[in-house]
Amino acid sequence: MAKKKKNSFYAYRTDDNQGIVSSWAECEAKVKGRRARYKGFKTESEARGWLDGGAVYENKAIKKEIKRMDLPDGAVFFDAGTGRGNGTEVRVSDKNGTPLTFMALDEEDVTPEGNLLLPDKTNNYGELMGCFLALQIARELDSKTIMGDSKLVIDFWSRGFLRKETALKDPPLTELVKKVKKEREQFESTGGRIVHVSGSINPADLGFHKD
Protein backbone atom coordinates (compact mmCIF):
# COMPACT_ATOMS: atom_id res chain seq x y z
CA MET A 1 0.00 0.00 0.00
CA ALA A 2 1.36 3.43 -0.95
CA LYS A 3 2.41 5.63 1.92
CA LYS A 4 0.43 8.80 2.50
CA LYS A 5 2.36 11.82 1.28
CA LYS A 6 3.57 14.01 4.13
CA ASN A 7 2.79 17.70 4.35
CA SER A 8 5.50 19.82 2.72
CA PHE A 9 4.23 23.24 3.79
CA TYR A 10 2.79 24.68 6.99
CA ALA A 11 0.72 27.84 7.10
CA TYR A 12 0.35 29.75 10.35
CA ARG A 13 -1.30 32.90 11.64
CA THR A 14 -0.73 34.59 14.99
CA ASP A 15 -2.05 37.88 16.34
CA ASP A 16 0.76 39.84 14.68
CA ASN A 17 2.17 37.63 11.96
CA GLN A 18 1.46 34.97 9.37
CA GLY A 19 3.40 32.96 6.86
CA ILE A 20 4.28 29.64 5.26
CA VAL A 21 7.23 27.44 6.24
CA SER A 22 8.47 24.12 4.95
CA SER A 23 8.67 22.04 8.13
CA TRP A 24 6.69 21.37 11.28
CA ALA A 25 9.66 22.38 13.42
CA GLU A 26 9.68 25.85 11.87
CA CYS A 27 5.92 26.17 12.27
CA GLU A 28 6.04 25.06 15.90
CA ALA A 29 8.68 27.68 16.63
CA LYS A 30 6.40 30.37 15.19
CA VAL A 31 3.26 29.42 17.08
CA LYS A 32 4.43 27.87 20.35
CA GLY A 33 3.16 29.79 23.36
CA ARG A 34 0.99 32.09 21.23
CA ARG A 35 -2.63 32.23 20.23
CA ALA A 36 -2.42 30.89 16.71
CA ARG A 37 -3.94 28.92 13.87
CA TYR A 38 -1.83 26.56 11.78
CA LYS A 39 -2.29 23.75 9.31
CA GLY A 40 -0.20 21.46 7.11
CA PHE A 41 -0.58 21.21 3.33
CA LYS A 42 0.82 19.21 0.44
CA THR A 43 1.43 22.27 -1.76
CA GLU A 44 2.35 25.89 -1.18
CA SER A 45 -0.64 27.09 -3.18
CA GLU A 46 -3.02 25.22 -0.85
CA ALA A 47 -1.30 26.78 2.15
CA ARG A 48 -1.55 30.25 0.59
CA GLY A 49 -5.20 29.72 -0.23
CA TRP A 50 -5.97 28.80 3.37
CA LEU A 51 -4.28 31.95 4.66
CA ASP A 52 -5.95 34.15 2.07
CA GLY A 53 -9.29 32.64 3.03
CA GLY A 54 -8.87 33.76 6.63
CA ALA A 55 -7.10 30.72 8.09
CA VAL A 56 -10.46 29.18 8.98
CA TYR A 57 -10.61 25.62 10.24
CA GLU A 58 -13.08 23.43 8.39
CA ASN A 59 -16.36 22.98 10.20
CA LYS A 60 -17.44 19.44 9.31
CA ALA A 61 -21.00 20.03 10.46
CA ILE A 62 -21.34 23.03 8.15
CA LYS A 63 -19.72 21.14 5.30
CA LYS A 64 -22.17 18.28 5.77
CA GLU A 65 -25.10 20.71 5.76
CA ILE A 66 -23.88 22.32 2.55
CA LYS A 67 -23.75 18.90 0.90
CA ARG A 68 -27.30 18.22 2.05
CA MET A 69 -28.41 21.47 0.46
CA ASP A 70 -27.09 20.15 -2.86
CA LEU A 71 -29.44 17.16 -2.76
CA PRO A 72 -32.25 17.34 -5.34
CA ASP A 73 -35.50 19.00 -4.35
CA GLY A 74 -38.50 16.69 -4.38
CA ALA A 75 -36.43 13.54 -3.94
CA VAL A 76 -37.55 10.74 -1.60
CA PHE A 77 -34.96 9.20 0.76
CA PHE A 78 -34.93 5.91 2.66
CA ASP A 79 -32.87 4.28 5.41
CA ALA A 80 -32.97 1.50 8.01
CA GLY A 81 -31.17 1.01 11.31
CA THR A 82 -31.05 -1.08 14.47
CA GLY A 83 -29.54 1.41 16.91
CA ARG A 84 -32.38 1.51 19.41
CA GLY A 85 -32.07 -2.21 20.13
CA ASN A 86 -35.73 -3.12 19.65
CA GLY A 87 -35.49 -4.29 16.06
CA THR A 88 -34.95 -2.76 12.65
CA GLU A 89 -36.49 0.64 12.01
CA VAL A 90 -37.31 1.91 8.52
CA ARG A 91 -37.68 5.56 7.60
CA VAL A 92 -38.62 7.39 4.42
CA SER A 93 -38.24 11.16 4.36
CA ASP A 94 -38.02 14.25 2.21
CA LYS A 95 -34.90 16.38 1.71
CA ASN A 96 -35.44 18.13 5.04
CA GLY A 97 -35.61 14.86 6.98
CA THR A 98 -39.38 15.10 7.50
CA PRO A 99 -40.75 11.54 7.82
CA LEU A 100 -42.94 10.37 4.95
CA THR A 101 -43.21 6.72 5.97
CA PHE A 102 -46.81 7.20 7.10
CA MET A 103 -47.86 7.80 3.48
CA ALA A 104 -47.44 4.11 2.66
CA LEU A 105 -48.61 2.59 5.96
CA ASP A 106 -51.62 2.31 8.21
CA GLU A 107 -51.50 4.72 11.15
CA GLU A 108 -51.06 1.96 13.73
CA ASP A 109 -47.92 0.71 11.96
CA VAL A 110 -46.04 4.01 12.37
CA THR A 111 -43.88 4.54 15.47
CA PRO A 112 -43.91 7.84 17.43
CA GLU A 113 -40.67 8.69 15.59
CA GLY A 114 -42.43 8.32 12.24
CA ASN A 115 -40.82 5.00 11.33
CA LEU A 116 -41.81 1.41 10.61
CA LEU A 117 -40.57 -1.07 13.21
CA LEU A 118 -39.64 -4.60 12.10
CA PRO A 119 -38.77 -6.44 15.33
CA ASP A 120 -37.55 -9.69 13.76
CA LYS A 121 -35.93 -8.49 10.52
CA THR A 122 -32.33 -7.71 9.58
CA ASN A 123 -31.05 -4.26 8.72
CA ASN A 124 -30.65 -5.25 5.05
CA TYR A 125 -34.26 -6.41 4.93
CA GLY A 126 -35.21 -3.06 6.45
CA GLU A 127 -33.29 -1.20 3.75
CA LEU A 128 -35.14 -3.15 1.08
CA MET A 129 -38.45 -2.40 2.77
CA GLY A 130 -37.44 1.26 2.88
CA CYS A 131 -36.86 1.17 -0.86
CA PHE A 132 -40.26 -0.47 -1.37
CA LEU A 133 -42.03 2.19 0.68
CA ALA A 134 -40.06 4.95 -1.04
CA LEU A 135 -41.21 3.68 -4.44
CA GLN A 136 -44.84 3.85 -3.36
CA ILE A 137 -44.42 7.29 -1.81
CA ALA A 138 -42.53 8.63 -4.83
CA ARG A 139 -45.43 7.57 -7.02
CA GLU A 140 -47.84 9.38 -4.70
CA LEU A 141 -45.73 12.55 -4.76
CA ASP A 142 -44.88 12.28 -8.46
CA SER A 143 -41.19 12.29 -7.52
CA LYS A 144 -38.68 10.97 -10.04
CA THR A 145 -35.73 10.52 -7.68
CA ILE A 146 -35.26 8.06 -4.81
CA MET A 147 -32.04 8.00 -2.80
CA GLY A 148 -30.67 5.61 -0.17
CA ASP A 149 -27.31 4.58 1.26
CA SER A 150 -27.55 0.79 0.79
CA LYS A 151 -25.61 -0.24 -2.32
CA LEU A 152 -26.73 -3.84 -1.77
CA VAL A 153 -30.35 -2.80 -2.14
CA ILE A 154 -29.85 -0.24 -4.90
CA ASP A 155 -27.46 -2.24 -7.10
CA PHE A 156 -28.70 -5.78 -6.51
CA TRP A 157 -31.79 -6.66 -4.49
CA SER A 158 -34.08 -3.99 -5.95
CA ARG A 159 -33.08 -5.24 -9.40
CA GLY A 160 -34.06 -8.80 -8.52
CA PHE A 161 -30.54 -10.12 -7.94
CA LEU A 162 -30.51 -12.36 -4.85
CA ARG A 163 -28.11 -15.21 -4.14
CA LYS A 164 -29.79 -18.58 -4.48
CA GLU A 165 -28.77 -19.78 -1.02
CA THR A 166 -30.12 -16.57 0.52
CA ALA A 167 -33.39 -16.96 -1.34
CA LEU A 168 -33.81 -20.54 -0.09
CA LYS A 169 -33.16 -19.56 3.52
CA ASP A 170 -35.42 -16.48 3.56
CA PRO A 171 -38.70 -16.81 1.59
CA PRO A 172 -40.12 -13.47 2.93
CA LEU A 173 -37.02 -11.66 1.67
CA THR A 174 -37.34 -13.39 -1.70
CA GLU A 175 -40.95 -12.30 -1.99
CA LEU A 176 -40.06 -8.70 -1.10
CA VAL A 177 -37.26 -8.67 -3.67
CA LYS A 178 -39.77 -9.65 -6.35
CA LYS A 179 -42.18 -6.89 -5.29
CA VAL A 180 -39.48 -4.23 -5.22
CA LYS A 181 -38.13 -5.30 -8.61
CA LYS A 182 -41.58 -4.93 -10.13
CA GLU A 183 -42.11 -1.52 -8.50
CA ARG A 184 -38.68 -0.33 -9.61
CA GLU A 185 -39.21 -1.37 -13.21
CA GLN A 186 -42.48 0.53 -13.31
CA PHE A 187 -40.87 3.56 -11.62
CA GLU A 188 -37.97 3.65 -14.06
CA SER A 189 -40.25 3.15 -17.08
CA THR A 190 -41.73 6.57 -16.32
CA GLY A 191 -38.36 8.31 -15.96
CA GLY A 192 -37.66 7.58 -12.30
CA ARG A 193 -34.23 6.77 -10.90
CA ILE A 194 -32.82 5.26 -7.71
CA VAL A 195 -29.38 6.51 -6.77
CA HIS A 196 -26.91 6.13 -3.91
CA VAL A 197 -26.31 8.85 -1.33
CA SER A 198 -23.73 8.78 1.45
CA GLY A 199 -25.22 7.75 4.77
CA SER A 200 -23.63 10.78 6.41
CA ILE A 201 -25.83 13.18 4.43
CA ASN A 202 -28.88 10.98 3.89
CA PRO A 203 -31.79 13.04 5.29
CA ALA A 204 -33.60 9.81 6.20
CA ASP A 205 -30.62 8.60 8.25
CA LEU A 206 -31.79 7.28 11.60
CA GLY A 207 -28.74 8.53 13.47
CA PHE A 208 -27.22 5.07 13.78
CA HIS A 209 -24.95 5.44 10.74
CA LYS A 210 -21.18 5.56 11.13
CA ASP A 211 -18.87 6.70 8.30
Side-chain angles (χ1 to χ4, degrees), residues 9 12 20 27 29 32 35 57 62 70 84 95 108-109 119 134 145 150 159 163 167 174 178 202-203 207 209:
F9 297 90
Y12 67 91
I20 299 172
C27 182
K32 191 173 183 178
R35 188 170 64 179
Y57 290 128
I62 292 176
D70 292 336
R84 259 183 271 271
K95 178 179 176 178
E108 59 268 23
D109 293 327
T145 304
S150 172
R159 297 181 185 275
R163 295 176 63 181
T174 304
K178 292 178 181 178
N202 183 356
H209 178 86

Side-chain angles (χ1 to χ4, degrees), residues 188-199:
E188 292 181 332
S189 71
T190 60
R193 61 185 187 133
I194 302 179
V195 296
H196 180 264
V197 62
S198 169

